[in-house]
């Protein structure tokens, strides 16, 4: 174990636990980094908050892609392949960790990393509901503190060496992908491949929501993205209707109506009225059938 090394970044200390191999990789915009991480509190017990090895899924991020934990890009960029290092990070770098950890835990649980069907930004939702859904993260959110990150660098891929999925795109690329995914979803819907169509619509919505979280709620750019998401959500719900997932349709459409007062809700209700009527009749018929 080497002594703690300063990275030249305020509020960060590094300790190499296991040396890596070869030269320091090139970390340019678009480089995909695969690594394991363990997050620990700075208490006597070194309480573990998250451990990707226990989950069995390594973490991936793309350099320069505005990942919420910006300091992780800095930490990883100081490492060699195979290196294991411990980083102490002060509060100035750890404030966003609870929100990031929530998304990572949802992925590990087989859920969507974002509540894409809820049409407010993630931070607004957090304050509206007063919880992230995990008690330890709620406590960390209320009282931010320094954290230890133990990182193991597994793989570094340059932009030309891998196929970029939607999560690895920048905002401009995400917005360009939306109409493509929309069109693919429409084509699959017309072919009767409803489940595959939902995946395309869902991916497009996630692209929009990732961009939208960086805009100020209810201002013009945010509203423009919101209307795009509403259209895709309606398409998604049409697929669910064909798949007879009536209760989920009611859940999504009710969320939209409840969270969009005024003209937007009126327009949405007019557009979705036939769908809701059909869905309500189907649910009623199903319930009467059970009775």
């Amino acid at each position: 174990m080497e002594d703690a090394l300063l990275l030249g970044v305020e509020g960060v200390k590094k300790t190499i636990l296991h040396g890596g191999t070869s030269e320091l990789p090139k970390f340019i915009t678009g480089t995909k980094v695969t690594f394991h991480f363990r997050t620990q509190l700075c208490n006597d017990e070194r309480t573990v908050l998250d451990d990707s090895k226990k989950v069995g899924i390594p973490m991936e991020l793309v350099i320069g892609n505005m990942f919420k934990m910006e300091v992780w890009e800095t930490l990883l960029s100081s490492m060699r392949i195979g290196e294991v290092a411990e980083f102490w990070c002060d509060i100035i770098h750890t404030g966003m960790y609870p929100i990031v950890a929530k998304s990572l835990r949802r992925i590990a649980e087989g859920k969507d990393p974002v509540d894409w069907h809820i049409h407010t930004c993630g931070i607004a939702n957090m304050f509206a509901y007063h919880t992230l859904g995990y008690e330890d993260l709620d406590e960390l959110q209320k009282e931010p503190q320094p954290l230890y990150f133990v990182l193991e660098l597994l793989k570094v891929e340059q932009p030309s060496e891998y196929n970029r999925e939607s999560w690895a795109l920048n905002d401009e690329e995400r917005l360009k992908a939306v109409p493509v995914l929309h069109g693919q979803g429409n084509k699959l819907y017309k072919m009767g491949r409803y489940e595959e169509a939902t995946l395309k619509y869902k991916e497009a919505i996630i692209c929009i929501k990732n961009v939208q979280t960086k805009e100020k709620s209810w201002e013009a750019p945010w509203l423009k993205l919101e209307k795009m998401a509403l259209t895709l959500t309606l398409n998604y719900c049409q697929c669910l209707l064909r798949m007879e997932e009536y209760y989920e349709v009611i859940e999504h459409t009710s969320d939209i109506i409840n969270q969009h007062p005024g003209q937007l809700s009126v327009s949405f209700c007019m557009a979705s009225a036939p769908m809701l009527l059909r869905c309500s009749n189907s649910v009623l018929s199903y319930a009467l059938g059970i009775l």
Side-chain angles (χ1 to χ4, degrees):
M1 180 184 294
E2 296 186 10
D3 294 334
L5 302 171
L6 290 176
L7 284 174
V9 179
E10 181 182 359
V12 174
K13 294 180 181 179
K14 175 181 179 180
T15 302
I16 297 176
L17 305 180
H18 178 75
T21 59
S22 67
E23 299 296 323
L24 191 70
K26 291 183 179 180
F27 296 93
I28 63 174
T29 298
T31 298
K32 184 166 78 169
V33 184
T34 304
F35 62 101
H36 275 300
F37 74 95
R38 183 170 71 248
T39 305
Q40 298 173 298
L41 297 178
C42 295
N43 54 18
D44 293 338
E45 296 78 20
R46 289 287 191 95
T47 303
V48 176
L49 295 176
D50 297 287
D51 189 337
S52 63
K53 284 193 174 181
K54 288 186 177 180
V55 175
I57 304 173
M59 176 72 183
E60 294 180 344
L61 67 78
V62 175
I63 299 296
N65 208 25
M66 298 184 72
F67 183 62
K68 289 185 175 67
M69 284 292 294
E70 293 182 16
V71 72
W72 277 11
E73 290 191 12
T74 302
L75 307 184
L76 290 162
S77 296
S78 74
M79 300 177 67
R80 292 174 168 79
I81 303 295
E83 180 179 325
V84 180
E86 176 185 86
F87 299 88
W88 174 87
C89 293
D90 205 353
I91 295 175
I92 59 174
H93 300 296
T94 62
M96 291 300 294
Y97 183 77
I99 296 174
V100 172
K102 174 188 175 180
S103 296
L104 298 179
R105 291 181 186 185
R106 287 178 64 87
I107 292 172
E109 293 166 3
K111 301 175 182 177
D112 291 327
V114 293
D115 296 321
W116 59 269
H117 64 283
I118 297 178
H119 295 271
T120 55
C121 74
I123 294 178
N125 281 335
M126 181 183 70
F127 287 111
Y129 295 101
H130 306 290
T131 181
L132 292 170
Y134 303 92
E135 187 175 345
D136 56 346
L137 297 182
D138 287 339
E139 289 300 317
L140 190 59
Q141 184 72 46
K142 292 175 185 176
E143 298 183 15
Q145 56 186 282
L147 295 171
Y148 281 109
F149 298 115
V150 179
L151 307 181
E152 179 182 355
L153 184 57
L154 302 175
K155 183 166 58 173
V156 175
E157 297 172 274
Q158 299 307 318
S160 62
E161 297 176 342
Y162 67 96
N163 294 322
R164 302 180 73 186
E165 300 175 28
S166 60
W167 67 266
L169 304 177
N170 60 37
D171 287 351
E172 182 180 355
E173 291 168 330
R174 285 189 179 111
L175 291 178
K176 287 181 179 179
V178 169
V180 175
L181 292 166
H182 192 165
Q184 292 172 342
N186 289 350
K187 184 176 181 179
L188 289 166
Y189 177 86
K190 291 176 182 178
M191 296 169 63
R193 294 160 61 178
Y194 305 120
E195 187 171 356
E196 294 176 65
T198 63
L199 297 179
K200 296 297 182 181
Y201 294 139
K202 190 173 178 181
E203 188 176 356
I205 293 169
I206 290 174
C207 283
I208 293 171
K209 290 302 172 183
N210 281 328
V211 177
Q212 192 182 35
T213 56
K214 297 160 190 172
E215 301 291 349
K216 190 171 182 179
S217 297
W218 302 107
E219 292 194 351
W222 187 94
L223 286 170
K224 181 179 179 180
L225 293 168
E226 188 71 357
K227 289 181 180 180
M228 293 168 61
L230 287 175
T231 299
L232 287 158
T233 302
L234 285 175
N235 288 5
Y236 178 85
C237 287
Q238 287 284 6
C239 292
L240 293 179
L241 279 177
R242 296 289 187 179
M243 297 160 64
E244 300 185 354
E245 299 288 348
Y246 304 122
Y247 288 104
E248 190 175 348
V249 174
I250 291 175
E251 178 187 351
H252 292 319
T253 52
S254 296
D255 282 343
I256 295 174
I257 292 172
N258 290 336
Q259 295 183 39
H260 289 79
Q263 186 60 42
L264 188 56
S265 280
V266 172
S267 301
F268 172 78
C269 288
M270 292 177 64
S272 61
M275 179 197 305
L276 292 174
L277 180 61
R278 178 184 166 195
C279 183
S280 299
N281 289 339
S282 298
V283 171
L284 179 61
S285 299
Y286 179 70
L288 290 173
I290 293 176
L291 295 173

